[in-house]
Amino acid sequence: MNAKSFYKIILIGGGHSNIQVIKSWAMNPPKNAKLILISDQANAPYSGMLPLYIKGEYTFDEVHFDLRRICALAHVDFIESKVTKIDPEKKIILLENRPSVSYDYASINTGIIPLESFLDYSKEKDEKRVVFLKPISKLIYKFEIILQEITKSNKTLHLAMIGGGAAGIEMTFMIQARLQDLNKNCNLSLFHNSKELLKGHHVRSQELIVQKLQKSGIKIYLNTEINSFKDNTLTSNNNETYPCDFLFVSTHAMAPSWPKESGLSVCSEGFIKVDNFLNVINSPSLFAAGDCIQFSNFKLNKAGVYAVRQGPILKHNLRHVIGEEKSFIPYKPQKSILGLIHSGVDDVIYSKGRFVHSGKRYYKLKKYIDKKFMENFGLPFYHLLPKSMTGVKYLEASEINTCGGCGSKVSPDLLFGIIHSPLFDIYKDVLPEVLDDAPSFPTDKGKISTSIDGFRSFINDPYLFGKVATLHALSDLAANGARPLNVNLSITLKIAPEKLQQYELKQMMFGICEILSKHKVKIIKGHSSEGLESNITISVNGISPDKNYTKFLIKQGDQLILTKGLGAGILLRALMLGECEGRWCSSFLKSLQQDNLDIIPLLDQYNISAMTDITGFGFVGHLLEMLNQNKFSVELNYSKIKLFKGVESILDKGIQSHLGPKLKKLYLKKIENLNNFNIDSLHDPQTNGGLLIAIQKDQAETLKNALRKIGHVDSEIIGQIISAKKNKIYLK
């Protein structure tokens, strides 16, 4: 394919418009474009369902788009990062703590941020007691904290809402409903700086809202401008004071600063100016939609209903610029929009033009509309599940290894069954013996440790792939206490248009070089090729210290410390199948980016008997490597072994890594006391897994605490070496 006919389209933000572009791409993917989503959060909220989430009627998952999961199924790259600037001339997007990304076309659908300058309060003292309704992610986090505080309190608390628009009023009603469910007697007040609530709405809606607020016992203060919150007291501009324990704020929001700082065309308030085609003024390669925009020839209120209606226009016009549609189509806002405002426990005010009414049936209608919209992004997208790869069509689907990371490796019985078979006896002089993770060899300049590792991509983020693959390769040196010196690097790029290969190679190399630069490691030789899948293989060399570690010198009574959780292979497999929730993925990806080499300087202060890293053979496989060279067994405290969030839920669905069941079958006879224990996660192959450290008993607790202090917070004492001579693992 001609590089000029291939387009890279970047979506900035997972808002109500961009999410529709992703769905469109999933249903009918263009052959000449690559879609990439950049968002600083893996779960994007649907604002229409937020009030009932606050009420306690919806769960977190029901009111959020799981961006990472949707992107995995739609074959859209997902970059979890914050945009700091755009260079529209060079067509480059700058990101926080990540390499920049170039684009041919981009669509901006980010949120708005709260206007806090009007309120005088102490962020240090009252940060958790002042809650702005935007951004929603912070609102949800703080609201849960406030609920805990209210639940624990035995006194009558005072809660207040600043802002008499639709959002502020809805939230006030829903907060009251939640408190009633908790049987908590709290005083709620609503403050508004104007003489009328719901400005811009039909007068009948305004009258109904006042009636329902008064009936519910919520105090209304009109023409009251609050400007200070200190010492549990609100102060107005005319120095009147009101008691307040927790404050919610729903006032005018403002645009983020980066569009203006990027030189984009913005209005006086900083919102991005667009034309009727959602094209950014004076930037033909940029589109924008939702709350972050202002039309150049008319003004709209900030409301999710507009962003939802802009979605079809945006996806059509993006397809036009890549040649799939004949012309642009304009966005034409509705002359009158449907208004549905929560106004009680199960009551909604319905307004459309001059028709205004309220009741439970409109409450049901709103729930139906919101659920119907979210169902458009229901999972899984069955037609997008991984296809059988070329060359393996003679295998059953369950036999195909579609895992990435260490889960993509062959099983040890297959590997060692070949190289240790009698057929290869004549080559014993060249085949490896049972060696440490990074075996060392003497030279005239000292001992050199060496290892090699590699695997195919496990995530739709090539920068993260490069970073984790490098950490994983260097981890073998960490397990032996060696200092990395240099590497040889081999990269296979998936066969694709050159523009896409340029993007993937740049991102991979940034991830690789970021880690190598940190440890002052040089690439001495490289190799590249094309293939069916992207792959990184790294051969590492290091200097072995006088006090290097081995996996074989465990002693009776040693305590075992594991520095990371287990279940990475299970989560990665689920991610590829669209069954891994974005929250789980974001959590364990932080662990995958932890550097095991950071631990080594700390260990010099302790008497370490043996050490290995947990990778492709799973926890049990690598533990047995430590035991098999000795006459010891191990007693494991199963409850102390930490699993990543979501692992148990995924196992309940019957999902495992491809290699895990093979490892379980191979090692099962070595495990005793299996009753009541689910050991699937113990056999799961880990990518850049934790270190397993054997240390004398009197130092174990001190080392565990020291590891947590330097950031390895999942470090835990999980068992001890015992004298049984069967090389067994005893669970308790």
Side-chain angles (χ1 to χ4, degrees):
M1 183 182 293
N2 190 314
K4 291 184 179 179
S5 66
F6 189 85
Y7 302 91
K8 189 163 52 172
I9 298 179
I10 310 294
L11 305 180
I12 301 173
H16 300 0
S17 301
N18 274 352
I19 195 75
Q20 294 181 67
V21 175
I22 296 174
K23 180 67 181 290
S24 169
W25 237 254
M27 294 301 187
N28 183 23
K31 295 180 180 179
N32 65 335
K34 173 68 176 177
L35 196 63
I36 301 167
L37 173 65
I38 300 172
S39 173
D40 61 354
Q41 51 189 351
N43 296 86
Y46 173 48
S47 57
M49 298 175 81
L50 180 65
L52 290 189
Y53 170 82
I54 295 299
K55 181 188 173 187
E57 196 160 325
Y58 289 134
T59 65
F60 180 94
D61 293 329
E62 287 177 310
V63 303
H64 283 81
F65 302 108
D66 193 333
L67 299 179
R68 189 181 292 280
R69 192 178 187 185
I70 291 171
C71 286
L73 287 168
H75 302 292
V76 171
D77 279 11
F78 177 71
I79 297 175
E80 189 172 356
S81 187
K82 187 176 183 179
V83 172
T84 59
K85 198 174 183 179
I86 290 181
D87 186 333
E89 297 294 326
K90 296 180 180 178
K91 296 186 179 180
I92 292 175
I93 300 168
L94 303 181
L95 303 175
E96 188 174 75
N97 301 319
R98 288 190 52 128
S100 61
V101 180
S102 63
Y103 65 89
D104 293 301
Y105 294 95
S107 168
I108 306 167
N109 186 201
T110 55
I112 48 183
I113 59 178
L115 181 63
E116 300 185 29
S117 57
F118 77 94
L119 185 66
D120 181 17
Y121 75 103
S122 171
K123 287 191 176 182
E124 183 178 347
K125 182 180 177 182
D126 297 320
E127 172 67 20
K128 293 182 179 179
R129 299 195 303 127
V130 177
V131 184
F132 290 84
L133 299 198
K134 296 282 186 170
I136 293 175
S137 57
K138 285 188 178 180
L139 161 65
I140 288 174
Y141 169 72
K142 288 186 176 183
F143 183 70
E144 295 302 326
I145 294 175
I146 288 174
L147 279 184
Q148 293 172 16
E149 293 293 319
I150 292 174
T151 303
K152 290 187 292 186
S153 178
N154 293 319
K155 65 177 184 178
T156 299
L157 298 172
H158 298 270
L159 284 72
M161 173 70 74
I162 300 177
I169 290 170
E170 278 192 309
M171 292 298 292
T172 303
F173 277 119
M174 295 302 99
I175 290 169
Q176 184 186 57
R178 188 67 174 272
L179 295 178
Q180 289 172 350
D181 286 343
L182 295 173
N183 292 317
K184 287 294 179 179
N185 183 25
C186 298
N187 294 322
L188 256 73
S189 301
L190 177 66
F191 295 87
H192 192 48
N193 62 1
S194 176
K195 65 180 180 180
E196 61 183 27
L197 300 175
L198 285 180
K199 187 177 180 180
H201 288 250
H202 194 279
V203 64
R204 178 59 182 149
S205 296
Q206 296 172 343
E207 292 170 351
L208 272 175
I209 279 293
V210 172
Q211 293 172 16
K212 291 176 183 295
L213 285 168
Q214 291 173 339
K215 185 177 179 180
S216 68
I218 297 170
K219 295 180 180 179
I220 308 171
Y221 296 92
L222 299 178
N223 285 321
T224 305
E225 188 171 335
I226 300 297
N227 54 32
S228 173
F229 176 51
K230 293 180 180 178
D231 300 322
N232 289 24
T233 302
L234 295 174
T235 305
S236 69
N237 58 344
N238 57 7
N239 291 322
E240 292 179 332
T241 59
Y242 310 87
C244 180
D245 296 291
F246 299 103
L247 176 63
F248 296 84
V249 184
S250 176
T251 55
H252 288 297
M254 56 187 283
S257 61
W258 66 262
K260 183 177 181 180
E261 293 168 355
S262 299
L264 302 186
S265 179
V266 298
C267 68
S268 58
E269 296 172 291
F271 295 105
I272 301 169
K273 292 173 68 175
V274 299
D275 60 22
N276 289 7
F277 305 115
L278 303 178
N279 226 165
V280 177
I281 301 298
N282 299 324
S283 297
S285 297
L286 290 174
F287 292 81
D291 285 349
C292 68
I293 68 169
Q294 174 64 61
F295 285 93
S296 58
N297 55 347
F298 59 89
K299 190 171 183 177
L300 288 178
N301 293 327
K302 305 301 178 187
V305 64
Y306 294 121
V308 170
R309 293 294 183 93
Q310 289 161 13
I313 308 301
L314 179 63
K315 66 186 182 185
H316 176 98
N317 289 346
L318 283 173
R319 287 185 181 270
H320 166 65
V321 296
I322 64 173
E324 286 205 340
E325 297 289 352
K326 292 183 178 180
S327 62
F328 281 129
I329 58 174
Y331 169 70
K332 298 176 182 178
Q334 310 94 298
K335 291 183 179 179
S336 64
I337 64 172
L338 174 63
L340 293 166
I341 302 173
H342 287 282
S343 53
V345 174
D346 55 1
D347 186 70
V348 160
I349 293 177
Y350 175 105
S351 62
K352 178 75 172 177
R354 295 182 178 181
F355 180 81
V356 179
H357 211 276
S358 69
K360 191 170 183 177
R361 60 176 172 170
Y362 302 116
Y363 175 83
K364 292 180 178 179
L365 175 63
K366 178 161 175 52
K367 287 187 69 174
Y368 171 80
I369 292 172
D370 289 336
K371 285 186 174 183
K372 194 71 176 176
F373 179 69
M374 291 299 283
E375 283 173 5
N376 287 330
F377 306 93
L379 300 173
F381 297 135
Y382 291 106
H383 64 288
L384 293 173
L385 291 177
K387 310 291 191 298
S388 298
M389 295 178 295
T390 303
V392 292
K393 58 186 178 182
Y394 49 85
L395 294 176
E396 294 295 327
S398 61
E399 297 179 286
I400 300 171
N401 187 351
T402 57
C403 291
C406 252
S408 65
K409 296 188 176 183
V410 299
S411 64
D413 57 334
L414 188 157
L415 176 63
F416 296 130
I418 295 296
I419 65 176
H420 292 163
S421 70
L423 181 65
F424 283 85
D425 284 348
I426 58 174
Y427 297 119
K428 282 186 176 180
D429 57 329
V430 298
L431 290 173
E433 302 172 6
V434 179
L435 297 172
D436 272 311
D437 298 298
S440 58
F441 302 94
T443 69
D444 55 356
K445 294 183 180 180
K447 288 193 294 184
I448 298 293
S449 292
T450 186
S451 185
I452 185 170
D453 221 313
F455 39 68
R456 69 169 175 255
S457 180
F458 58 87
I459 194 167
N460 54 353
D461 181 342
Y463 163 77
L464 247 162
F465 174 41
K467 187 175 181 180
V468 174
T470 309
L471 288 168
H472 181 89
L474 294 177
S475 181
D476 279 342
L477 294 183
N480 279 81
R483 179 176 62 82
L485 182 64
N486 53 51
V487 302
N488 292 301
L489 174 63
S490 177
I491 291 179
T492 300
L493 292 176
K494 184 178 180 180
I495 297 171
E498 185 175 324
K499 186 178 291 185
L500 183 54
Q501 288 185 329
Q502 288 173 348
Y503 158 71
E504 291 195 344
L505 182 59
K506 172 191 170 183
Q507 297 291 317
M508 282 185 199
M509 287 302 299
F510 260 101
I512 292 167
C513 292
E514 180 179 311
I515 300 303
L516 296 182
S517 177
K518 170 186 172 182
H519 294 291
K520 297 180 172 57
V521 175
K522 189 172 183 63
I523 300 172
I524 56 174
K525 182 66 177 176
H527 174 75
S528 63
S529 62
E530 288 186 313
L532 293 177
E533 299 173 286
S534 296
N535 184 292
I536 296 175
T537 299
I538 303 176
S539 169
V540 298
N541 301 302
I543 302 295
S544 295
D546 294 333
K547 183 184 177 181
N548 69 310
Y549 304 106
T550 175
K551 67 174 75 168
F552 303 126
L553 299 181
I554 55 175
K555 300 172 185 175
Q556 182 179 340
D558 278 346
Q559 303 284 292
L560 291 177
I561 295 177
L562 183 61
T563 63
K564 293 185 182 181
L566 300 177
I570 294 166
L571 289 168
L572 290 174
R573 172 66 170 162
L575 178 64
M576 299 182 79
L577 295 174
E579 294 290 347
C580 183
E581 293 185 10
R583 290 179 294 165
W584 301 341
C585 192
S586 296
S587 177
F588 93 88
L589 283 176
K590 291 178 182 177
S591 177
L592 262 63
Q593 295 176 73
Q594 281 188 306
D595 192 338
N596 286 336
L597 280 169
D598 292 342
I599 293 175
I600 304 309
L602 181 68
L603 300 184
D604 290 340
Q605 309 167 39
Y606 299 89
N607 294 319
I608 307 299
S609 300
M611 184 163 64
T612 189
D613 61 336
I614 308 302
T615 53
F617 294 168
F619 171 78
V620 170
H622 289 288
L623 175 56
L624 287 172
E625 285 183 332
M626 299 177 81
L627 298 176
N628 285 343
Q629 300 300 308
N630 302 278
K631 297 179 180 180
F632 297 119
S633 291
V634 63
E635 188 177 71
L636 285 183
N637 188 339
Y638 181 86
S639 64
K640 293 291 185 179
I641 299 174
K642 296 185 178 181
L643 305 182
F644 293 122
K645 291 179 182 177
V647 169
E648 291 176 324
S649 297
I650 291 170
L651 286 174
D652 287 343
K653 295 181 179 181
I655 297 173
Q656 294 189 53
S657 59
H658 180 80
L659 188 54
K662 294 183 179 181
L663 295 173
K664 181 179 178 180
K665 182 179 179 181
L666 183 63
Y667 299 132
L668 190 61
K669 62 184 178 181
K670 288 287 188 177
I671 304 176
E672 300 289 341
N673 307 331
L674 289 172
N675 292 340
N676 302 319
F677 296 111
N678 186 340
I679 62 169
D680 291 332
S681 56
L682 303 186
H683 298 285
D684 185 51
Q686 303 302 290
T687 299
N688 191 33
L691 294 178
L692 183 60
I693 304 168
I695 182 173
Q696 63 185 47
K697 186 175 181 179
D698 62 340
Q699 294 185 338
E701 189 70 24
T702 306
L703 176 57
K704 179 195 77 173
N705 293 333
L707 287 164
R708 290 180 176 182
K709 192 172 182 179
I710 64 170
H712 291 260
V713 295
D714 287 332
S715 298
E716 187 59 83
I717 300 170
I718 61 168
Q720 63 178 341
I721 304 299
I722 58 177
S723 61
K725 298 181 180 181
K726 299 180 181 179
N727 296 136
K728 290 275 190 176
I729 298 172
Y730 295 90
L731 296 177
K732 69 171 188 176

